[in-house]
Amino acid sequence: MPGKYTIPRLDFGSDLVATLFEIERLRADIGTGDTPYDTYVELHRLFDFVMSVVSARIEGNHTTVYEAIERTDSQSDPQREITNIAAAVRFIDELDAHTPLTHALVRELHQRVVADLVREGDPTPGAYRDVEVGIVESDHRPPSWVTVHAEMSALLDFANEDRPLHEQMLQIAIAHHRFVWIHPFRNGNGRVSRLFTYAMLRKTVFATRGYSALNPTAVFGNDRDSYISALEAADDLSDVGTIAWAEYFVTGIRDDIARLVDLQQHAFVIDQVVAPALDGLRRDGLVSSQEHDALRIALERGVIKSGDLEDVVPGSPSYRSRFIRGLRERHFLQQAEEGPRFYRLSLARGPIALRLIRRLDVLGYLPRMLADD
């Protein structure tokens, strides 16, 4: 049997190699767009929250994406599971992209994911399992708990290796499978494995790209059964099975990178994503024509101040201030980082966020798992 952490030899004419070349071509376009940084960050946060819903859905959580966004302050177990995952993603985003992947980091992610949960909790948050476990509806028997720490050490050594660009996607695909194969925790392995993979993407392929790193959960959420089947194909640790899993993984990543590049083009964001959402709000009477025009200016400029709205909101500065305050109170606008009198669209929460999810679904950006939401 080949080594557990050996990169398989590939047929140069295979579909997998062709897909890897496509990823490298697309990767060169990351960071070259003109979407305002704050706008992109908001879209990134919204997408990550939706992916938190998907990650929980894979584990059997039936909360819809709309329920999750509207009930972020709920203390229900299903909602807490989603907010835990979203908070763990933000925790990863705050790390230096070059932070090594360590036992401490993996256990920290686990502790954050299962914190205060009942159905999807763990009796030992942040600790590797000390019992034998099985995987429901799977023939794979994870290694004994006695070897978990050693198995994870080998995985982390592999995940932290400096690999040439053309091997990095294969490295990440293999690491994701081996994490699930080891099953280091009693519960929460799937959720932590997807976060671990996100951290690897930031550390390797997108190390210098900041918020441009994509959340790979979209790949796994397109079809849960296909995801599980692709993972199981690699459980024998053979080259054939590992390549089959890698083909599934990298094809999904390629499609997501293409969408990521689109979202960095401001014209695309305006014309295809946010503007249609604003038009829908006006059409349904949730904003007035004047409010719609003001929000459209914020969309096109990225950041606005009161004077920027003078043409569409005539009158005194105090009147425009009250107008802006009303939009902020209804979560259409929020204060920008530039200062207390600068504002930008609120895209990751509030009424616009709900319409953006519909647009992203129409554009094919959301996993099929959310189709019935």
Side-chain angles (χ1 to χ4, degrees), residues 81-343:
E81 180 183 4
I82 293 167
T83 54
N84 279 1
I85 297 170
V89 172
R90 291 195 298 272
F91 168 73
I92 293 172
D93 279 337
E94 292 170 359
L95 298 174
D96 185 299
H98 299 282
T99 299
L101 302 168
T102 64
H103 290 286
L105 176 59
V106 171
R107 292 194 295 260
E108 175 72 18
L109 291 175
H110 182 257
Q111 184 169 24
R112 289 172 179 265
V113 162
V114 302
D116 302 318
L117 295 181
V118 178
R119 188 182 73 89
E120 289 297 340
D122 189 303
T124 56
Y128 293 144
R129 60 183 169 89
D130 57 2
V131 296
E132 307 299 347
V133 297
I135 302 176
V136 177
E137 299 181 358
S138 173
D139 294 332
H140 171 57
R141 185 73 175 179
S144 171
W145 69 269
V146 177
T147 67
V148 164
H149 193 278
E151 291 278 5
M152 287 300 295
S153 292
L155 169 61
L156 292 167
D157 286 345
F158 173 74
N160 284 310
E161 287 178 1
D162 289 330
R163 291 275 179 171
L165 290 177
H166 68 278
E167 290 186 356
Q168 287 179 352
M169 288 307 308
L170 293 176
Q171 178 188 19
I172 296 169
I174 292 170
H176 179 87
H177 172 267
R178 299 325 189 231
F179 189 109
V180 179
W181 187 90
I182 296 168
H183 226 65
F185 303 105
R186 292 193 190 186
N187 197 14
N189 293 282
R191 286 163 285 168
V192 178
S193 72
R194 293 184 282 275
L195 291 167
F196 180 78
T197 301
Y198 178 59
M200 276 199 74
L201 282 165
R202 291 185 74 246
K203 185 180 185 315
T204 55
V205 179
F206 300 102
T208 62
R209 308 296 182 170
Y211 274 103
S212 293
L214 57 85
N215 192 320
T217 301
V219 176
F220 311 136
N222 269 324
D223 186 329
R224 182 183 184 277
D225 291 338
S226 295
Y227 169 47
I228 300 301
S229 295
L231 278 172
E232 289 178 342
D235 282 347
D236 63 0
L237 306 182
S238 68
D239 276 358
V240 172
T242 296
I243 290 173
W245 157 250
E247 287 176 340
Y248 175 90
F249 180 84
V250 302
T251 298
I253 293 292
R254 176 203 58 197
D255 295 343
D256 275 358
I257 293 178
R259 298 179 184 119
L260 185 73
V261 171
D262 285 341
L263 288 177
Q264 291 187 79
Q265 308 308 314
H266 199 201
F268 178 85
V269 169
I270 292 174
D271 296 338
Q272 298 297 321
V273 184
V274 186
L278 297 181
D279 292 345
L281 290 168
R282 178 180 59 182
R283 184 174 56 251
D284 295 340
L286 297 179
V287 296
S288 67
S289 294
Q290 185 182 52
E291 290 171 333
H292 170 272
D293 293 345
L295 294 174
R296 181 63 189 250
I297 291 174
L299 167 61
E300 294 173 352
R301 299 195 181 190
V303 175
I304 61 170
K305 54 186 184 299
S306 176
D308 296 326
L309 302 182
E310 189 171 2
D311 289 343
V312 297
V313 187
S316 66
S318 61
Y319 174 77
R320 278 191 295 279
S321 294
R322 291 192 298 273
F323 178 87
I324 290 172
R325 187 185 313 122
L327 290 175
R328 290 187 63 193
E329 290 172 349
R330 291 154 61 202
H331 304 297
F332 288 106
L333 290 178
Q334 59 186 317
Q335 183 176 312
E337 295 180 358
E338 283 76 0
R341 297 185 180 182
F342 292 84
Y343 312 95

